[in-house]
Amino acid sequence: MTGAAGAAEPQRTEPQRTEPQRTEPQRTGPQRTGPRSRTLLAAAHIVADPRADVSPDDPAAVDWDATLAFRRHLWAHGLGVAEAMDTAQRGMGLDWAGARELIRRSAAEARAVGGRIACGAGTDQLRPDAAPPTPAEVRHAYEEQLAVVEEAGAQPVLMASRALVRAARGPDDYLHTYGELLRQAARPVILHWLGPMFDPALEGYWGTHDLDAATDTFLEVVAARPDKVDGVKISLLDADREKALRRRLPPGVRCYTGDDFHYPELIEGDEHGHSDALLGVFDPLAPVAARAVRALDAGDPRTFRALLDPTVELARHLFAPPTRYYKTGVVLLAWLAGHQDHFTMVGGLQSARSLPHLRTAYERASALGLFPDPDLAEHRMRALLTVHGAGTR
């Protein structure tokens, strides 16, 4: 195995230290039984094939073995996998053909190992450079993807649609589109509201730039068919708004937090209820997240917060503006942790964050004890800095 600079991986001798402080790795072994009191879904990244001769404009070349192995890692810790979501670079390197293959392969792997899986159904087969689609064309695109997810045996996540923003003339088009999709769904779905900080093309979702009015439309969709909605996934990075929305959901409809800034308090909850989770930050945090929620299972919220609160500083760094490039830090940490043998991303997205940003991500993850082999992580980070001329400064 080689590092980013092609250098040999470290021998088991003590290397020179680039960081004066480092926490020993968290010893949380695999536990297939998931936490009981909360449902945790990790939005998982994909692993690119670095040997493929492709350009950033070509269809994604995916290392399927490494991609599926990472999902087995998440399942082994008792988390579910949220597949083919924005963490998997939907609309940022992974097209619908690649997402469809990912859904089919991951769903088959989930059946083989008994893991939970939910998969994103969207409209990204509609070309963004074509004329604006009609609402009917958007609905047909959703229906095609919904059918693929259901045929694979996975739970659908109805993702926010860039095409629907272009097609809709107002809230009524959202109500009609989602109403038809829920009517057709074979099993309860997760509705996903992704804010423009994650994808600027989603500005004005639900037919308005007024978030209060948008919330009303969103909840109207849910209230019309609560039997077809397992839960809603909110990614607005606004804890107070999520809590207020959560209290207005019909009985039995979950709130899956997508807030990568405030997840400990939202998952812990209050006297009015709690959020479950569907989070991109749980891609690197799976072992500690599972351990923390098992503390909640045992009636120990203090340990839950003691485990999860220190991770927020890392999460806020990974998801710093431009938030949509958080995927680069997530893949860096997977490489440093030994889950893949390179730091290459589809579409060349490994270049989307600066070296200082990546080094800080490494330092904060190391301080949390997230790397099973700290020497390997340090060697790889050194190699990355060296090959880009940054050395150990």
Side-chain angles (χ1 to χ4, degrees):
M1 185 181 295
T2 59
E9 297 289 14
Q11 301 298 314
R12 293 304 173 222
T13 57
E14 189 68 15
Q16 288 185 318
R17 298 291 187 228
T18 60
E19 308 305 334
Q21 294 183 342
R22 190 172 67 181
T23 301
E24 287 303 305
Q26 301 211 22
R27 304 299 183 186
T28 305
Q31 302 180 51
R32 284 197 180 277
T33 302
R36 299 186 306 276
S37 60
R38 307 289 190 273
T39 298
L40 305 183
L41 298 172
H45 74 280
I46 54 172
V47 182
D49 182 354
R51 298 165 294 276
D53 184 12
V54 294
S55 75
D57 295 330
D58 291 333
V62 178
D63 182 335
W64 293 112
D65 289 341
T67 293
L68 295 177
F70 188 77
R71 280 130 184 84
R72 290 193 295 272
H73 155 73
L74 296 174
W75 286 318
H77 285 283
L79 276 69
V81 169
E83 188 58 277
M85 305 291 291
D86 59 294
T87 307
Q89 294 183 237
R90 290 289 290 269
M92 294 184 72
L94 187 69
D95 61 11
W96 166 234
R100 181 174 57 215
E101 183 70 10
L102 178 64
I103 289 167
R104 289 171 173 166
R105 286 177 181 257
S106 291
E109 194 72 16
R111 289 194 299 274
V113 304
R116 176 174 177 175
I117 188 166
C119 296
T123 62
D124 46 336
Q125 69 271 56
L126 297 176
R127 292 174 56 88
D129 56 352
T134 65
E137 289 170 333
V138 173
R139 188 181 75 251
H140 294 326
Y142 264 128
E143 289 167 349
E144 176 189 352
Q145 296 201 15
L146 180 61
V148 168
V149 173
E150 291 183 337
E151 288 167 6
Q155 180 180 26
V157 181
L158 292 183
M159 301 173 66
S161 165
R162 295 173 178 175
L164 187 53
V165 174
R166 299 174 67 213
R169 291 163 294 181
D172 286 347
D173 285 327
Y174 288 85
L175 291 170
H176 179 72
T177 299
Y178 279 94
E180 284 296 301
L181 294 171
L182 291 178
R183 182 184 61 80
Q184 298 175 48
R187 60 182 291 186
V189 309
I190 298 173
L191 294 178
H192 187 189
W193 183 1
L194 190 68
M197 66 289 293
F198 289 94
D199 186 347
L202 298 175
E203 184 73 49
Y205 213 73
W206 305 110
T208 177
H209 293 276
D210 182 328
L211 285 179
D212 291 334
T215 298
D216 290 342
T217 300
F218 182 53
L219 290 170
E220 187 175 345
V221 170
V222 178
R225 294 302 301 264
D227 59 312
K228 289 295 189 74
V229 182
D230 165 64
V232 299
K233 196 254 184 172
I234 312 299
S235 299
L236 299 177
L237 302 183
D238 185 332
D240 290 338
R241 183 170 295 278
E242 179 174 321
K243 291 175 186 176
L245 186 153
R246 185 172 74 193
R247 293 168 189 171
R248 296 173 62 188
L249 290 172
V253 176
R254 303 173 186 267
C255 181
Y256 291 91
T257 187
D259 189 329
D260 300 277
F261 287 1
H262 307 100
Y263 51 92
E265 65 176 283
L266 291 166
I267 294 170
E268 181 182 14
D270 54 29
E271 66 273 16
H272 301 290
H274 67 266
S275 295
D276 295 283
L278 194 167
L279 287 165
V281 78
F282 279 1
D283 180 299
L285 294 182
V288 66
R291 184 180 170 197
V293 174
R294 287 190 176 92
L296 278 185
D297 292 348
D300 186 0
R302 179 172 297 182
T303 296
F304 167 81
R305 295 299 293 262
L307 287 167
L308 220 50
D309 281 353
T311 67
V312 172
E313 184 181 23
L314 171 64
R316 286 180 173 268
H317 178 72
L318 294 176
F319 287 78
T323 302
R324 62 189 181 278
Y325 294 126
Y326 74 88
K327 306 155 185 74
T328 302
V330 164
V331 174
L332 172 83
L333 296 183
W335 173 54
L336 296 179
H339 294 299
Q340 56 193 78
D341 60 8
H342 60 84
F343 179 44
T344 302
M345 299 176 67
V346 301
L349 206 62
Q350 68 272 9
S351 65
R353 291 293 201 184
S354 69
L355 286 174
H357 178 95
L358 298 178
R359 179 166 181 157
T360 298
Y362 158 71
E363 292 168 350
R364 292 182 180 176
S366 181
L368 290 168
L370 293 184
F371 300 129
D373 185 340
D375 290 343
L376 175 67
E378 183 174 309
H379 171 83
R380 288 183 168 184
M381 194 66 215
R382 280 177 175 270
L384 179 67
L385 294 169
T386 299
V387 79
H388 286 96
T392 59
R393 295 190 301 276

